[in-house]
Amino acid sequence: MFDRALRRRIDPFLEQIAVSARSIGLCADQVTWIGFGFGLLAMAAIASGAPILGLLFLLANRFCDGIDGALARLTCPTDRGAYLDIVLDFLFYAGFVFACAVAQPAEALPAAFLIFSFVGTGTSFLAYAIIAAQRNWPIEAGAKKGFAHLGGLTEGGETLLVFALMLLWPGAFAMLAWVFGALCWLTTITRVVTTLKVLR
């Protein structure tokens, strides 16, 4: 929901970092894998009961997620890079919630609901992108992804905020999972309705 406003503020900084990363020989795919490595470390820290350490690795993961796209745009974005970015992001999102459930087994039900809701947002996001590519629908000007897609209430910025709150206040995990999961389903429904209208 507030990704666009956030990106306008942070993109110049990310682009400067991307220039520095390119100068030392890093490519976008390497940064994507490094970010996923931080994501795995975040999962391990969270599952072992170290939420603050998990938060640091979470922020490192999201930082790399911003850098890899900026770095790709400095050179030439590739289908391989876009594929890796989406797959590893989705794995991390689900893995984060799973790690929280490992740390707090009593909260397995709200964790399962949140992962279930991620299936809705992920499939509605990717199904639209597939159809848009097949029909050669234009990519929105200024878009940060290499394909046409629909936004929604729950995008990257909102997810990062909720994940950070879950780690800062573990006791609020269940409430945050139920509320954010419900918002994810609202996003899914609006995407489905919008897409079906376009396909009439």
Side-chain angles (χ1 to χ4, degrees):
M1 182 173 63
F2 55 71
D3 272 18
R4 290 185 184 181
L6 181 62
R7 294 305 296 257
R8 282 196 297 269
R9 291 179 177 275
I10 67 173
D11 275 355
F13 170 71
L14 294 177
E15 289 164 2
Q16 291 177 1
I17 300 297
V19 169
S20 299
R22 184 177 64 171
S23 71
I24 62 174
L26 285 175
C27 71
D29 286 0
Q30 290 172 326
V31 175
T32 300
W33 281 112
I34 292 169
F36 186 64
F38 282 128
L40 293 176
L41 290 173
M43 294 178 216
I46 295 162
S48 64
I52 300 305
L53 181 59
L55 175 60
L56 295 177
F57 286 131
L58 165 66
L59 295 176
N61 168 270
R62 294 296 85 200
F63 178 73
C64 288
D65 187 60
I67 296 300
D68 63 2
L71 189 54
R73 290 187 292 275
L74 284 176
T75 53
C76 181
T78 65
D79 291 341
R80 172 191 168 92
Y83 175 82
L84 279 176
D85 184 60
I86 290 294
V87 170
L88 297 183
D89 270 0
F90 281 19
L91 287 174
F92 171 66
Y93 286 158
F96 176 94
V97 180
F98 175 72
C100 290
V102 172
Q104 302 183 71
E107 308 297 359
L109 181 59
F113 175 71
L114 184 54
I115 292 176
F116 177 42
S117 75
F118 285 169
V119 174
T121 54
T123 54
S124 61
F125 176 90
L126 293 176
Y128 178 91
I130 291 169
I131 294 172
Q134 290 174 338
R135 298 190 175 203
N136 294 316
W137 289 345
I139 300 173
E140 183 180 354
K144 298 303 179 182
K145 295 189 181 296
F147 51 86
H149 63 281
L150 291 174
L153 285 173
T154 54
E155 297 184 280
E158 293 83 6
T159 304
L160 172 58
L161 175 61
V162 170
F163 280 6
L165 291 174
M166 287 174 170
L167 296 178
L168 290 170
W169 292 285
F173 175 84
M175 181 270 292
L176 290 167
W178 288 118
V179 171
F180 192 62
L183 291 175
C184 285
W185 278 113
L186 184 57
T187 294
T188 299
I189 291 168
T190 57
R191 284 175 176 168
V192 170
V193 170
T194 299
T195 303
L196 292 178
K197 286 181 178 179
V198 172
L199 294 175
R200 280 181 180 173

